[in-house]
Structures are given as structure tokens and as C-alpha cells.
Amino acid sequence: MFSGKIRDLCHTLSFRLTLWYAGIFMITTLLLIFLFYSYIASHLIEDLDRSLGEEITEFRSLLNKSGLEAVKKYMVIEVDSEIEDSFFRLFSSSGQEIILTTNFPFRNTQQLDSLALLAYRNGEKIFSNIDAPGYPNQLRTVSGDIGQGFVLQTGESLADYEKTLSFFKRFSLLVVFPLVALSTIVGWFLARQALKGVEKVTLIAEKIAGGDYDQRVRLKRSTSEVEKLADTFNNMLDRIQALIRGMKEVTDNIAHDLRSPLARIRGKAEMALLGAGSQTSCSDMAASTIEECDNLIDMINTMLDITEVEAGVSTTDKEKVEMNRLILSACDLFEPIAEEKGVKVMTSLPDNELYFLGDKHKLQRLVTNFIENGIKYNRPGGTVTVTLKEEDRQIKILFEDTGIGISEQNLSRIFDRFYRCDTSRSEPGLGLGLSLAKAIARASGGDIEVKSTLNQGSLFIIRLPL
Ligand code: ADP
């Protein structure tokens, strides 16, 4: 169980971020230490080489001025005055060691011989590190031609140099480990702080998964990415909740709209059964069953049409639709119904034909729905006026009626599926026409606007972009 917890911890983002932070910090620190170490090492060697090189110059001028004996004496004086372990060696061009003065037991002349010959041949100072058998440190040496066929070699122990560098190494290790530990703690703290918001969102998501849809992430007033994520998450939840509410309403409405006709069909069937075989009751029952079934099929088809239009899966190709002609034929179609209700349908169309690229069948349904509603929710003697015009690169179709109107609180809901105002329940209808109309308008790139005053009439405006 404990190892499981550790495994879980290793998979967390906080842990990985901490590892990255500590890793990058450690690599950067080691790189800096390495650069500093190289700089110190080369600087120390440069210093040493400079002072060794100066000895060669000094001895050259001494030989020139005072001769070989003075050089030999000076070599002894010099080696005695040195605090470091050092040596001086004079070598002739014929390959012979003239004198070796040293303040420590140093016996390794083989390597020096070849360096002396090389310096003589090249005529320049040659710097080199050499080992001294039995001596713990290396020696830094210079071999340089001092004239008159002599090469002077001098060298110094690298003990101090190595001590400084090893002190630096130990110090670096001492500093690096606590620094890495500190950076891990800081990294862990920063990662936790950065991911705190994500944890909050996860916690809320878990509660929502448990069925509590009212949960929301509490936001701070900051513009951090996590706060933005939380805000988007909240908006998404609002939308999902609205959709669930909408779906629930639709389901309730469907259930309600199915129950009434089914109850009526059942009632009629029962009566026909009680009438025990009477021809008229059976015919009555069959006729009303067909009518109820037609209504139900109509409802289901309209719902499927709305879904299809909203999903944009309509397979019909777009065509150039003559809008003037489409409106006129829709008005003609409703003329008998309007006459029966005592309503006058009027049109106001432009002289030139207006064209719209769209689905003719859907546009017909869009227009007929508004004309039908204008007549249906009207009073005898009322009017329905359909106006077509082109404005601001848009086709506008206005349906204005002098009917029963819509109250302000109902205006925002009439486009919802199955919604019907109480004032219009006496008229037949499913409450799906406006939902379909809106879906068609939007699928065509346009929209619908409505203005209405209760008991005075309504104005629906369809805008379709050209
Ligand atoms: P239906 O007409 O089948 O009920 P709609 O979706 O076409 O469904 O309309 C939804 C509701 O909006 C109607 O039930 C009615 O209450 C209201 N409505 C629509 N058009 C008008 C109108 N022209 N005048 C008054 N009320 C209207």
C-alpha cells in the first residue's frame, strides 16, 4: 500500500515538475562551477608561467653581463630564497647538465633533458608539467635558451595549485548538495502552488461526477492560466447544466405530448369495445386514431428536422431561390385558411426579384411557419403583412400581424422546443415551429428577431446574409 502511494506520487505532475526544476538547477549550478573551476585553474597556471618565464629573462641578462660563474652562484641563492619546493638546472647545448640546484630531493632529469634540447632547438620557452618520482605533486617547469649555448630550466611544485583547486572542489560539493536540496524543496513548493488551481478543478469535477451539478470552482481575481481554465470550466458547466435542464424540459414535454394523444386513442378504443362491434364506433375510432397518429408522426418528424438542421447534416444542395416568388406562393397556399379565419394576408415585395442561395424546401418551411402563426394567433378582421427587402447586404423578411401578441416574459421562451404561451393553447400546435425556424435561419447564416405587444400584435424579422 505504501509502495503504491509512492508510485502514485511519482506519477503526479507536481513530482515531475519538481524533478525538472531540481534537475535544471543542478545542471546549471554544475556548469557554472565547472566554468569557474576552469577559469581559476588556467589563471593560476598563467600566473606561475609568467613568474617562471621572468626567471629565464633575468638569467639571460645575468649571463650576458656577468658570465657563467655568476649564473651558478645566483642559481644557489635563488633556490635558497624560494619558499616553494623548486629547482634550477643549467644545461649545455652539447647535452650535459652543468649544475642542478634544488631545495627538495628531486631526481628526474630524463624528461628535462629532452625538454632542454627542444628549447635549444626552437629557441623559445617551453612550459611543461613533469612528474618527480617519489614526490607527491607534479612540477611546473620552463626550459629556455639563455644564450652562449646554455639552456636554463627551472620549476616549482604544483602543491599550492593543487591544494587551491582541491579546496575549491570540496567547497563546491559542500555548497552543491544543500543547494540542490533547497532547490528541490523550492521546486516542490512552486509546483504545488502552480497546480493548486488544477487540484481545485479536479475536486469539483469529482463532485460533479458524483451527481452534484451545482458545484462551481471559486475564482480569485487573477488572470493566471489556471484561473482562466477554472473560468472556462465553470462556463462549460453552466452550459452543460442549461443543456441538461433543456433536455429534461424537452423530455417532460414529449412525455406530456405523447400521453394526451395516447390516452385519447385508448379512450376511443375502449368506447369502441364497449359499443361491441358497432360499425360506426369502429370507424370513428379508426379515423381518430389515424388523426392522432398523424399528429404524433408530425411531431417526431419536426423534431428530427430540427436536430438535422442544428447538426448541419442536411444533404440537400443549395440553390438560387427566388424569394419574391417563394413568399407569394406561401401566401397563396394559406389564403383559404386566412379567409376562413377572417384574416387578410398582404405582401410588400420589391420590384426586382431577390435571390438567396439556400435550401428551397427549408426556406419554404421557414416562411410558411410565420404566415401560419400570424393567421392562427390572430382575430377575425386582423391582418398579416409579409414584407421582403434588401438592406445592408442582407435579405430581410418581416412578418407583422395584428394578433393576440406575446407577453414580455414569454418572448424569451417562444423559440424553445415545445414552448407554447398559455394564451395560444386553444389553437392546435406542437410548439416546435419557431424552434425549427430559428434552426433554419441560423443554418443559413442568419437569425430571427421578435418584437411583440400583448393584445396588439407581433413582428418577426428574419435576416439572411447575402
Ligand atoms: P406552435 O404554433 O405550433 O404552438 P411555434 O413554435 O410556431 O409553435 O410557436 C410557439 C409559441 O409562440 C406559440 O404556441 C405561441 O404561443 C407563440 N407564437 C408564435 N407566433 C405567434 C404570433 N404570431 N402571435 C402570437 N403568439 C405567437
Side-chain angles (χ1 to χ4, degrees), residues 107-223:
R107 285 281 166 266
N108 176 17
T109 51
Q110 234 174 12
Q111 215 181 335
L112 280 176
D113 287 354
S114 48
L115 284 168
L117 286 173
L118 200 67
Y120 183 71
R121 238 179 277 134
N122 293 357
E124 59 184 32
K125 296 170 191 161
I126 293 178
F127 296 92
S128 176
N129 287 1
I130 64 164
D131 295 320
Y135 189 69
N137 304 104
Q138 278 201 311
L139 296 167
R140 182 70 179 166
T141 66
V142 61
S143 309
D145 184 358
I146 57 169
Q148 297 173 23
F150 294 109
V151 170
L152 181 87
Q153 294 184 304
T154 178
E156 216 176 284
S157 163
L158 283 173
D160 267 4
Y161 165 84
E162 276 160 14
K163 217 188 287 168
T164 310
L165 290 187
S166 87
F167 170 76
F168 182 79
K169 270 191 229 163
R170 260 181 286 128
F171 177 76
S172 302
L173 282 181
L174 274 179
V175 170
V176 162
F177 282 114
L179 266 183
V180 169
L182 188 77
S183 78
T184 310
I185 294 167
V186 172
W188 177 253
F189 176 75
L190 289 179
R192 299 284 305 162
Q193 279 298 105
L195 297 173
K196 223 176 186 175
V198 179
E199 263 173 33
K200 254 194 322 188
V201 176
T202 315
L203 213 76
I204 297 295
E206 274 168 9
K207 285 189 185 166
I208 290 165
D212 188 356
Y213 297 105
D214 290 329
Q215 288 285 339
R216 292 293 179 275
V217 184
R218 238 176 278 148
L219 296 170
K220 283 185 204 151
R221 255 188 238 148
S222 93
T223 51

Side-chain angles (χ1 to χ4, degrees), residues 88-104:
F88 282 84
R89 184 176 187 243
L90 197 61
F91 195 82
S92 77
S93 56
S94 56
Q96 266 185 327
E97 179 185 285
I98 314 290
I99 177 172
L100 169 69
T101 58
T102 170
N103 61 3
F104 73 107

Side-chain angles (χ1 to χ4, degrees), residues 373 376-377 401 406 414 419-421 424 429-431 433-434 458:
N373 279 356
K376 202 162 58 170
Y377 304 118
D401 66 63
I406 305 160
I414 53 170
Y419 190 79
R420 305 199 73 209
C421 307
S424 50
L430 298 167
L434 287 182
S458 311

Side-chain angles (χ1 to χ4, degrees), residues 24 143 332 448:
I24 289 172
S143 309
D332 284 350
I448 301 174

